[in-house]
């Protein structure tokens, strides 16, 4: 290395090392942070030289607030005024009379805008946090470590291997006491020890976003469970996303149909302009909302096509999941439905009933029974963010969830006879796993 040289690692080859997709490019942010530090160093040195030549003492520079979040809240953010007011009321206190470290959780299922609400609070009240605002992805220990590495590099704390300790020690300094930590996607607190990343201080504010409501009162001192937007808020988001500042009565009517179809979910509504559904009542409004010459599917449709190209097993699972409980598809149920089941026969004798007797797709049975095939199919769906994987607390096996809008779009894009087939498969699967007729499983 050259004298005073600073190396910035980039996850790219020599051709792409100075090219960035956007301001949110994961390679651009560390570079930007280092350039900001470089700029501050130059300003300080120039000021020092100027003061020496004039014989004056250097004036102290006002501290630059650190705002280390991936982005600002989206420009179509609406609603959640009650939530922001509740957070403001909870966090607003006199630091001289600190009640201790405060923590607040934003909970709810995917698509409700938990992260956006946290970013909205951070941006609206950033004046409250001269110590810095930091967002850490809590999906896994590796994502937290990656974020800590970026932050410590920017703050020149990366002189050791124990990044959590370095970061906590830095926030434990009284000059950094007014900080805000946002732990995003705090869904798996068992495998991700969140508490080990939290400074043991009597100050500071922490916000968690999570699909697990159980963190309220445990990991977080208090919190709120988000609900869907109101109809008026949802329509406002959709129209602003479409750039329709003066909608007609007909436009408002179509917009209401769309947001009701989307269940007033912020994520689905925000993506409405980027997608097209094969729905006759919504397609009429679609050309007014986007600058497309022809009908296209949502970003999910691109993923559906990629799934079809990648794995036939994943395609079948995707269609099957469209007709099961979106929030609770248990691996144990799938395994049970694709296995021999003991039943009392009509003759009073114990017999084994194969899945084929319930007319369950033979290849689906083989795939579920083959652990490698099944895992490969699940991995494909998960890699395209079409399903989420959690642990079933009762069995220790996995359980899967899927957004209802993904279910709807995936099912509506196929022919009616295909829909009927997989709807029947879902029914047959549940009936074989949990029969409810006169021929019952023995105790």
């Amino acid at each position: 290395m050259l004298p005073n040289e600073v190396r910035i690692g980039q996850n790219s080859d020599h051709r792409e090392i100075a090219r960035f997709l956007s301001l949110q490019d994961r390679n651009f942010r560390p570079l930007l942070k280092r350039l900001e530090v470089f700029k501050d160093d130059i300003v300080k040195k120039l000021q020092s030289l100027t003061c020496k030549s004039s014989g004056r003492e250097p004036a102290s520079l006002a501290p630059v607030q650190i705002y280390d979040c991936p982005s600002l809240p989206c420009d179509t953010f609406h609603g959640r005024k009650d939530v922001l007011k509740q957070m403001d009321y909870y966090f607003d206190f006199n630091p001289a009379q600190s009640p201790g470290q405060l923590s607040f959780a934003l909970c709810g299922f995917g698509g409700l805008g938990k992260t956006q609400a946290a970013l909205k609070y951070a941006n609206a009240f950033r004046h409250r946090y001269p110590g810095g605002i930091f967002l850490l992805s809590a999906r896994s220990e590796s994502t937290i470590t990656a974020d800590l590495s970026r932050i410590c590099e920017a703050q020149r704390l990366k002189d050791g291997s124990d990044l959590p300790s370095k970061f906590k020690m830095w926030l434990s300094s009284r000059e950094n006491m007014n900080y805000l930590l946002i732990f995003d996607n705090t869904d798996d607190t068992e495998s991700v020890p969140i508490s080990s990343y939290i400074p043991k201080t009597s100050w500071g504010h922490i916000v968690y976003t999570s699909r697990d409501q159980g963190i309220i009162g445990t990991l977080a001192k208090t919190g709120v469970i988000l609900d869907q937007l109101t109809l008026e808020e949802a329509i406002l988001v959709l129209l602003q996303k479409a750039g329709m500042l003066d909608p007609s009565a007909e436009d408002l009517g179509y917009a209401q149909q769309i947001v009701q179809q989307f269940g007033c979910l912020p994520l689905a509504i925000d993506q409405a302009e980027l997608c097209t559904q094969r729905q006759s009542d919504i397609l009429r409004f679609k050309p007014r909302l986007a600058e497309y010459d022809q009908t296209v599917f949502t970003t999910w449709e691109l993923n559906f096509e990629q799934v079809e190209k990648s794995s036939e097993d994943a395609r079948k699972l995707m269609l099957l999941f469209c007709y099961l409980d979106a929030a609770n598809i248990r691996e144990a149920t799938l395994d049970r439905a694709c296995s021999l089941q003991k039943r009392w026969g009509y003759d009073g004798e114990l017999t084994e009933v194969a899945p084929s007797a319930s007319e369950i797709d033979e290849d689906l049975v083989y795939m579920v029974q083959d652990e490698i095939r099944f895992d490969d199919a699940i991995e494909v769906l998960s890699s395209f963010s079409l399903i989420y994987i959690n642990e079933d607390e009762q069995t220790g096996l996995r359980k899967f969830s899927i957004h209802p809008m993904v279910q709807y779009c995936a099912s509506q894009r196929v022919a009616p006879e295909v829909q009927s087939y997989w709807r029947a498969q879902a029914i047959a699967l549940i009936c074989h796993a949990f029969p409810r007729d006169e021929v019952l499983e023995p105790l």
Side-chain angles (χ1 to χ4, degrees):
M1 292 180 63
L2 297 175
N4 300 319
E5 177 183 345
V6 175
R7 292 185 178 181
I8 305 174
Q10 296 283 54
N11 184 25
S12 62
D13 57 34
H14 68 281
R15 293 175 299 177
E16 303 294 330
I17 199 166
R19 298 179 182 178
F20 308 101
L21 297 176
S22 69
L23 294 178
Q24 310 307 325
D25 191 306
R26 61 183 300 179
N27 286 330
F28 178 70
R29 292 187 61 79
L31 178 61
L32 179 61
K33 292 296 182 183
R34 172 51 62 182
L35 290 175
E36 290 175 347
V37 172
F38 185 52
K39 179 201 68 174
D40 292 342
D41 287 345
I42 292 176
V43 171
K44 291 178 181 178
K45 289 181 179 180
L46 288 176
Q47 186 183 47
S48 178
L49 291 173
T50 302
C51 292
K52 285 182 180 180
S53 63
S54 62
R56 293 182 290 104
E57 290 294 326
S60 59
L61 294 175
V64 178
Q65 185 193 41
I66 305 165
Y67 186 87
D68 198 290
C69 294
S71 64
L72 295 173
C74 64
D75 54 5
T76 57
F77 184 94
H78 288 285
R80 308 302 187 204
K81 292 182 179 180
D82 56 336
V83 174
L84 295 174
K85 184 177 180 180
Q86 186 173 344
M87 295 176 72
D88 177 29
Y89 180 80
Y90 176 69
F91 285 130
D92 186 21
F93 72 97
N94 184 351
Q97 300 175 347
S98 174
Q101 194 178 74
L102 300 178
S103 55
F104 192 97
L106 296 167
C107 298
F109 59 85
L112 286 171
K114 300 181 293 293
T115 302
Q116 288 297 318
L119 290 174
K120 185 67 174 180
Y121 170 80
N123 189 55
F125 299 97
R126 59 192 306 171
H127 62 275
R128 187 176 284 169
Y129 302 104
I133 299 173
F134 308 94
L135 186 143
L136 303 174
S137 175
R139 289 186 182 275
S140 65
E141 288 193 81
S142 60
T143 58
I144 294 183
T145 301
D147 287 340
L148 284 177
S149 179
R150 183 192 68 247
I151 294 170
C152 290
E153 174 71 20
Q155 304 306 317
R156 299 182 177 181
L157 303 174
K158 199 173 181 181
D159 57 354
S161 58
D162 192 357
L163 295 181
S165 295
K166 293 284 183 182
F167 185 59
K168 289 190 296 183
M169 186 179 300
W170 184 65
L171 291 181
S172 298
S173 171
R174 283 197 169 272
E175 63 183 12
N176 300 317
M177 66 181 298
N178 294 321
Y179 63 80
L180 172 65
L181 285 180
I182 302 174
F183 287 94
D184 195 26
N185 295 307
T186 314
D187 302 323
D188 188 2
T189 55
E190 292 187 2
S191 61
V192 183
I194 298 296
S195 58
S196 64
Y197 299 97
I198 299 174
K200 305 301 182 182
T201 62
S202 59
W203 55 75
H205 295 171
I206 302 173
V207 172
Y208 302 97
T209 70
S210 177
R211 298 171 65 192
D212 182 7
Q213 302 175 11
I215 71 170
I216 299 177
T218 54
L219 187 61
K221 293 182 179 179
T222 187
V224 65
I225 300 173
L226 298 186
D227 199 355
Q228 64 190 35
L229 297 176
T230 65
L231 184 62
E232 293 75 16
E233 292 168 346
I235 291 175
L236 186 58
V237 170
L238 182 61
L239 294 177
Q240 183 173 340
K241 179 73 175 177
M244 301 181 68
L245 303 179
D246 188 22
S248 65
E250 184 182 19
D251 292 334
L252 291 173
Y254 287 144
Q256 181 172 334
Q257 294 178 36
I258 294 176
V259 298
Q260 288 177 331
Q261 182 67 58
F262 289 157
C264 293
L265 294 180
L267 177 61
I269 296 167
D270 186 65
Q271 292 182 348
E273 190 205 5
L274 306 178
C275 68
T276 305
Q277 290 75 31
R278 291 178 177 173
Q279 308 168 43
S280 58
D281 57 336
I282 290 182
L283 284 179
R284 291 182 296 171
F285 192 65
K286 177 60 189 176
R288 307 287 298 277
L289 291 176
E291 300 176 354
Y292 297 132
D293 297 329
Q294 58 182 358
T295 302
V296 293
F297 285 99
T298 76
T299 311
W300 293 327
E301 169 61 17
L302 299 177
N303 290 342
F304 297 150
E305 293 178 354
Q306 291 172 314
V307 166
E308 291 174 340
K309 294 177 182 178
S310 301
S311 169
E312 175 65 14
D313 289 341
R315 184 191 71 85
K316 287 187 174 183
L317 273 187
M318 179 83 259
L319 290 171
L320 177 66
F321 284 6
C322 287
Y323 300 99
L324 296 175
D325 182 2
N328 190 17
I329 303 173
R330 296 175 181 267
E331 184 177 13
T333 300
L334 298 176
D335 181 67
R336 181 183 174 91
C338 294
S339 304
L340 293 172
Q341 297 297 319
K342 293 182 179 181
R343 303 281 189 267
W344 292 115
Y346 289 104
D347 57 359
E349 296 296 327
L350 191 64
T351 184
E352 289 187 338
V353 180
S356 57
S358 299
E359 300 185 356
I360 299 177
D361 185 276
E362 185 176 355
D363 190 58
L364 176 65
V365 172
Y366 290 149
M367 185 252 292
V368 173
Q369 292 177 340
D370 187 328
E371 186 176 346
I372 296 178
R373 280 184 64 186
F374 183 72
D375 285 349
D376 287 344
I378 289 296
E379 184 178 356
V380 170
L381 296 178
S382 177
S383 66
F384 292 117
S385 299
L386 294 174
I387 65 170
Y388 296 94
I389 305 174
N390 297 292
E391 182 179 343
D392 188 334
E393 296 179 357
Q394 297 180 356
T395 64
L397 298 176
R398 292 169 297 183
K399 63 179 180 180
F400 314 106
S401 59
I402 178 173
H403 196 289
M405 282 306 306
V406 175
Q407 282 185 312
Y408 185 85
C409 294
S411 62
Q412 292 300 308
R413 63 187 293 274
V414 299
E417 57 269 22
V418 178
Q419 297 178 31
S420 298
Y421 179 81
W422 287 104
R423 185 182 298 111
Q425 285 295 306
I427 295 173
L429 184 146
I430 297 300
C431 289
H432 182 71
F434 308 104
R436 300 299 297 172
D437 56 21
E438 67 272 17
V439 185
L440 298 177
E441 181 179 3
L443 297 177

